[in-house]
Amino acid sequence: HPHAALRQVAVSALNSLGHPELGARLPALLSDPSPRVREAGAKVAGYLGDPALLDAMLALRSDDDESVRRAAVEQLVRFEEPRAATAIADALTNGTPGVRAAAARALAHGERRETIGLVAEACGDPDPWVRYYAARSLGHLGRRTPAEASDVLLALATHDPVPPVRIAALDALAALGSATEAGALRAIANDPDPAVAAPALLALGAAGGHARLEPLL
């Protein structure tokens, strides 16, 4: 279908049905002449996470259509195999901006310890949308090592030239609720852009402690 929203509804319906023939029919969808069908097939394959589909999903990383490549990279994280993790890491550094952003989004669901390092490094990507999604993912992953994640996020929140990236970093800091320096957040809370100042206040509140109370008052 030409409308992406309806294609996504069809994908969700297939995932909900869980039809026993679905796995057997997916290889044909993943190699269909239509990039829309290949993209949708990749999304269904990710839901199933069937190891038998991994080779076909890895092949889609070289697809001529970027939407297909993005979908494949986003879904590879559902395959708990080293080759899938390696492919996502490669996409994060060597893909087009859209593919790198997809990899940064996908890694929010990663379980490997080295994932945090990959996402933290992506926070310095030259493309703002990659940094945006990397910051959001780091908010999910950084609970394991909140101090390490907070340093990266605070640097983004303080120095990034793009407001949506700063906001994503502040939202991630609020999600971590970690021991971020109150003085640094207070400075951001005084930003002339209210869209930046508001999430800084939320991050201060989430961190808690007496040092955060005074700037909130």
Side-chain angles (χ1 to χ4, degrees):
H1 198 280
H3 294 293
L6 289 179
R7 295 199 301 275
Q8 184 57 47
V9 168
V11 167
S12 299
L14 286 170
N15 291 343
S16 297
L17 286 173
H19 195 281
E21 294 181 11
L22 189 57
R25 295 181 65 175
L26 269 174
L29 299 181
L30 296 174
S31 60
D32 193 272
S34 167
R36 292 172 179 167
V37 175
R38 296 196 301 275
E39 177 188 1
K43 294 177 179 179
V44 177
Y47 179 81
L48 291 180
D50 184 351
L53 298 171
L54 179 57
D55 286 336
M57 290 290 287
L58 290 172
L60 292 183
R61 287 186 52 242
S62 302
D63 198 275
D64 293 336
D65 188 274
E66 186 175 86
S67 295
V68 177
R69 298 198 302 273
R70 290 199 308 265
V73 166
E74 286 184 328
Q75 299 303 321
L76 278 171
V77 75
R78 310 292 184 182
F79 294 81
E80 298 178 359
E81 292 195 23
R83 286 192 298 155
T86 300
I88 298 170
D90 179 69
L92 188 63
T93 55
N94 298 318
T96 61
V99 171
R100 297 200 307 274
R105 286 195 298 271
L107 287 174
H109 308 287
E111 296 294 335
R112 296 169 178 266
R113 175 63 184 83
E114 60 268 24
T115 299
I116 296 178
L118 289 171
V119 175
E121 186 174 347
C123 287
D125 192 277
D127 186 84
W129 285 112
V130 178
R131 299 196 302 274
Y132 174 88
Y133 286 112
R136 290 174 61 91
S137 292
L138 198 55
H140 290 283
L141 297 168
R143 294 180 179 88
R144 302 174 190 171
T145 55
E148 176 186 344
S150 292
D151 289 343
V152 175
L153 292 168
L154 188 59
L156 275 183
T158 305
H159 302 297
D160 200 277
V162 181
V165 177
R166 300 181 68 195
I167 294 167
L170 290 165
D171 287 342
L173 285 168
L176 290 179
S178 56
T180 306
E181 287 292 333
L185 285 175
R186 180 174 185 171
I188 303 171
N190 290 325
D191 194 277
D193 184 351
V196 173
L201 291 170
L202 290 174
L204 276 168
H210 180 75
R212 278 78 177 167
L213 182 59
E214 192 275 330
L216 289 173
L217 292 174

